[in-house]
Each structure stands twice: as structure tokens, then as C-alpha cells.
Amino acid sequence: QQQVKQSPQSLIVQKGGISIINCAYENTAFDYFPWYQQFPGKGPALLIAIRPDVSEKKEGRFTISFNKSAKQFSLHIMDSQPGDSATYFCAARRSGNQFYFGTGTSLTVIP
Amino acid sequence: DVKVTQSSRYLVKRTGEKVFLECVQDMDHENMFWYRQDPGLGLRLIYFSYDVKMKEKGDIPEGYSVSREKKERFSLILESASTNQTSMYLCASSLRTSTDTQYFGPGTRLTVL
């Protein structure tokens, strides 16, 4: 079964708006939560990551919010731009190198 | 810049063929990974390697094997390709620890007829 549940499957946002993608997990052994961005024809690239000992991490227009008690985390893209149009994956790490990925969100930012 | 290259962007094979997918990284990374990416399923880990000749099974190793004879090269082998192995295959590498950034290659789109 899917270890990390991601929603929505697709998202359309107006330029300048806020894009929000949500992920949820059940396994409390997960201890590291990265987000990846993938453009067509390319492999995913790390965007931002968080550990569960903090509730928020911000890098430029990208923010991860983390709710440990609810076992949920989300990516917020402020002032969304057409260049942000891509597929976004959340992921969670168990011990070692075992990463579990969400199913992906296709984001389209319209001018 | 870290570069992860995969031998083919597109590959078409027939059922029962033995298939080799090659991945090379140029940054002396210790960890290398093979994932498959399918619509609606995201990325799923097939195998990873944390050192030469060392390998660990991921979530979906059935039907696959791997080889890492040199640090920079990690091969995925489909012993007898089947149609349900039609997918996008992504290779990745990371420096040492599991929180080091994983760098992905561009992927190989494999079609098994």
C-alpha cells in the first residue's frame, strides 16, 4: 500500500497565487521528509527537505509545513510562477536509504 | 555539478529478453539507487547500493537484479523482461548518508512488447 499519500493529483494556480500540496503518512519511523520537483524529460531534483523536529522550513518562495502529531506535511509555493509548472513529489525516509515517495502532483501555473 | 547519466533515454525490448540498464555518476558518490516511476504510483525503489559489490533490496526487487563492480557504475538487469516491466526507470546517487541529496538521472523509458 502507499506509504505516503499525496494530494491533489493535479493543481492549476493563477500566476502570483499560492500552490499547496499535501502529504500524509502513517509510519512514525519516518524521520526525514524531502520534496522533489520534476520537469518533463528530466529526473526529479531535490527542492527542500525537513526533519520532524521543526514545524516549518522556508527557502525562498518554497515552505514546508510539518505537523508531527497529525503525521502530515505540506509544500507551499508562494507567488507561483509559470516556471514552477512541474510535477512535485513528497517523500519520507525510514532508516537507512529506504525512501517512500508520494504519487506526485502535476502543477500548472497559468499566466 | 553532479552528473548522473543513463545509457539510453528510450529502449524497446521483447518479452523474455535480458535487459541491461546502465547508470554512471561522476562525483564519487557511495550510494546509488534504481527506481521505477509509474503514473499514479510515484517512484518505487527497486534496489540500492551503498558500496561496490554491496546491494540492498528496495520495495519491488522481484524480476530485477543489480550489479555494482565499480563505484561510479550501477547496472539494473531484467533477467527475462515482461510487459509489466514497461516503465520509466530512474537512477540516482548520493554522497554517503541517507540525508545527502539524491541526484537523479534523466531516466530510461523502457517498453517491453
Side-chain angles (χ1 to χ4, degrees):
Chain A
Q1 74 279 19
Q2 199 70 31
Q3 297 261 359
V4 179
K5 293 183 168 60
Q6 183 173 346
S7 62
Q9 186 175 347
S10 62
L11 184 60
I12 299 174
V13 171
Q14 202 84 27
K15 179 183 174 182
I18 302 173
S19 304
I20 302 174
I21 304 170
N22 300 300
C23 286
Y25 64 97
E26 286 298 324
N27 192 336
T28 55
F30 290 148
D31 63 358
Y32 176 70
F33 302 88
W35 283 90
Y36 286 84
Q37 179 188 56
Q38 184 179 28
F39 293 105
K42 305 282 187 185
L46 180 67
L47 190 61
I48 187 172
I50 197 168
R51 292 183 186 274
D53 52 348
V54 297
S55 60
E56 188 175 281
K57 183 172 181 180
K58 185 175 180 178
E59 289 184 4
R61 296 184 293 110
F62 300 91
T63 300
I64 300 178
S65 296
F66 189 86
N67 186 328
K68 190 173 182 178
S69 60
K71 290 182 278 188
Q72 294 175 348
F73 58 111
S74 59
L75 176 69
H76 296 236
I77 306 174
M78 312 300 286
D79 186 27
S80 299
Q81 299 296 313
D84 297 330
S85 297
T87 300
Y88 293 81
F89 292 95
C90 61
R93 184 197 72 162
R94 206 179 57 194
S95 60
N97 279 302
Q98 184 73 51
F99 283 82
Y100 295 90
F101 283 77
T103 52
T105 296
S106 176
L107 171 66
T108 303
V109 181
I110 51 177
Chain B
D1 259 3
V2 175
K3 194 163 185 187
V4 179
T5 56
Q6 296 183 230
S7 51
S8 306
R9 293 303 302 271
Y10 300 94
L11 209 52
V12 180
K13 295 292 181 181
R14 297 219 172 264
T15 301
E17 279 192 80
K18 190 169 186 175
V19 181
F20 292 87
L21 302 182
E22 304 283 339
C23 175
V24 177
Q25 50 92 5
D26 66 356
M27 283 302 290
D28 203 33
H29 283 178
E30 294 188 4
N31 300 324
M32 296 189 75
F33 307 81
W34 276 106
Y35 293 89
R36 65 177 280 177
Q37 183 177 9
D38 299 289
L41 294 176
L43 280 72
R44 292 177 293 166
L45 182 65
I46 305 171
Y47 269 97
F48 68 92
S49 168
Y50 52 89
D51 202 351
V52 174
K53 296 191 188 295
M54 305 302 286
K55 62 186 179 185
E56 292 278 348
K57 292 180 180 179
D59 260 355
I60 52 165
E62 297 78 18
Y64 304 95
S65 62
V66 289
S67 173
R68 194 168 180 200
E69 296 295 321
K70 293 185 177 181
K71 191 174 186 179
E72 67 271 18
R73 189 178 297 269
F74 193 34
S75 303
L76 180 69
I77 303 153
L78 287 65
E79 294 291 341
S80 177
S82 63
T83 55
N84 63 11
Q85 292 178 310
T86 291
S87 186
M88 172 67 81
Y89 289 88
L90 291 164
C91 175
S93 71
S94 67
L95 182 59
R96 188 171 298 111
T97 71
S98 59
T99 55
D100 288 326
T101 301
Q102 287 194 29
Y103 294 89
F104 284 83
T108 294
R109 169 77 62 188
L110 173 67
T111 301
V112 183
L113 302 175

